[in-house]
Amino acid sequence: MAKGMREIKRQIKSVQNTKQITKAMEMVAASKLRRAQVAAEAARPYADKLKEVVGSIAAGSKGVKHPMLQTREVKKTGYLIVTSDRGLAGGYNSNVLRRVMQEIKENHKSPNEYAIFVIGRKGRDFFRNRNIAIVDEVVGLSDSPTFSDIKAVAASAVKNFEDGSYDKLYLVYNRFINAISQEPTIKQLLPMEDMSGAAISNYEYEPSPEGVLEVLLPKYAETLIYSAVLEGKASEFGARMTAMSNATKNATKMIGTLTLVYNRARQASITQEISEIVAGANAQS
């Protein structure tokens, strides 16, 4: 009995230590979430304004041609997937990876029909473990990534489309809704959506609308990728905070259950000891 009680006490201590860790991780994630959420929300107006300017130029320039605006026969598709470097974030990574694998399974018959770009160690390892080739990757991002951190992979993904390496480019990431809700999202990045209905503004361009588009269109696509990375960071911390909160609650419940088992075992042990004392006293009398 005593041996069993010692084991239960060790289990309670172990779960208590785990609870302290998960609670600390929850608080750290909550702190990082606030900063990431501010960054993600701040990037949205910039991307929207850039889209407005690009759309205005494209709509107001008759006959303008640029590979990023032109639809062509789809022979190959590119996917840029945003994941995290670390786990312990609930379904954050698995949800977005499941989403892209479903897309690949439904639309492609062989690996020759798609190309993969990855941001995040979890995504990179996922595709490596399945022997799926990765064109370009970025891992080891900080908790507050800058545009320069992902510029190389973003520029590579955009340039490969312009060069005709593939005919569509999708962005796959977790869209941040709130601290407890993140939505796995797949968005067509290139070619850009039809902008013929965009509002036309009276801008003057130097040297020409086409020349401005030549510079702005790649930057716009790269900005959308960076915005998705910021959305992903906010989603990651929200998912991790929620996962650690649930782990802490489960640990609390487990401690309660183990404490109840321990108290019952202790009561049974005391009862047994009393019975043995009484039996010994009766034997002597």
Side-chain angles (χ1 to χ4, degrees):
M1 181 67 73
K3 184 178 179 181
M5 290 173 61
R6 284 197 296 270
E7 180 62 30
I8 295 172
K9 286 189 73 173
R10 280 196 293 269
Q11 289 180 4
I12 292 174
K13 183 63 176 177
S14 175
V15 177
Q16 286 174 336
N17 291 338
T18 301
K19 179 181 175 180
Q20 290 178 345
I21 294 171
T22 57
K23 185 62 178 178
M25 292 181 68
E26 177 189 351
M27 294 174 67
V28 170
S31 174
K32 292 180 177 180
L33 169 62
R34 285 189 285 271
R35 293 194 295 270
Q37 183 176 353
V38 168
E41 291 175 347
R44 292 171 184 171
Y46 178 76
D48 290 342
K49 186 62 179 179
L50 194 54
K51 179 181 179 180
E52 178 188 325
V53 173
V54 169
S56 175
I57 300 173
S61 305
K62 294 182 179 180
V64 64
K65 292 185 178 181
H66 192 284
M68 293 175 67
L69 296 173
Q70 294 177 335
T71 301
R72 55 191 186 234
E73 181 185 358
V74 179
K75 297 178 181 178
K76 192 170 184 177
T77 303
Y79 296 93
L80 195 158
I81 303 103
V82 180
T83 63
S84 69
D85 285 315
R86 298 186 300 274
L88 297 177
Y92 171 79
N93 290 301
S94 60
N95 289 340
V96 77
L97 291 170
R98 189 183 304 114
R99 180 74 176 84
V100 73
M101 290 305 292
Q102 178 185 356
E103 188 76 15
I104 288 173
K105 184 177 179 180
E106 291 177 355
N107 295 286
H108 306 293
K109 296 180 180 179
S110 77
N112 296 326
E113 295 181 356
Y114 59 88
I116 299 294
F117 295 79
V118 181
I119 296 176
R121 187 172 284 105
K122 287 295 182 180
R124 182 199 65 182
D125 293 347
F126 176 87
F127 290 108
R128 278 186 178 178
N129 292 337
R130 286 159 180 77
N131 295 319
I132 297 176
I134 299 173
V135 179
D136 206 350
E137 65 184 63
V138 171
V139 298
L141 288 181
S142 69
D143 293 331
S144 301
T146 63
F147 179 71
S148 61
D149 293 331
I150 58 94
K151 179 173 174 55
V153 70
S156 175
V158 172
K159 189 175 187 304
N160 272 272
F161 174 83
E162 290 186 272
D163 293 345
S165 297
Y166 39 77
D167 309 293
K168 270 189 179 182
L169 176 61
Y170 286 99
L171 189 56
V172 191
Y173 64 102
N174 276 294
R175 181 173 175 269
F176 179 78
I177 299 175
N178 53 52
I180 60 173
S181 181
Q182 304 84 35
E183 181 181 10
T185 301
I186 182 164
K187 177 193 297 184
Q188 180 176 317
L189 186 62
L190 296 172
M192 291 183 179
E193 59 187 344
D194 183 12
M195 295 184 176
S196 59
I200 301 176
S201 302
N202 295 320
Y203 296 117
E204 292 185 4
Y205 307 103
E206 282 290 340
S208 66
E210 290 79 5
V212 174
L213 278 180
E214 192 73 28
V215 175
L216 276 187
L217 282 172
K219 290 189 179 300
Y220 172 56
E222 292 169 9
T223 298
L224 290 184
I225 294 171
Y226 178 55
S227 181
V229 171
L230 295 179
E231 294 268 349
K233 275 295 178 183
S235 297
E236 176 189 347
F237 295 133
R240 182 168 290 115
M241 185 184 74
T242 301
M244 293 301 99
S245 174
N246 291 336
T248 301
K249 291 176 182 176
N250 290 337
T252 301
K253 291 180 182 178
M254 189 176 296
I255 290 170
T257 301
L258 288 172
T259 301
L260 182 61
V261 172
Y262 175 79
N263 290 338
R264 286 177 176 172
R266 185 167 178 269
Q267 184 177 17
S269 177
I270 293 171
T271 302
Q272 183 178 353
E273 289 177 5
I274 293 173
S275 299
E276 290 174 353
I277 292 170
V278 171
N282 289 338
Q284 289 181 354
S285 63

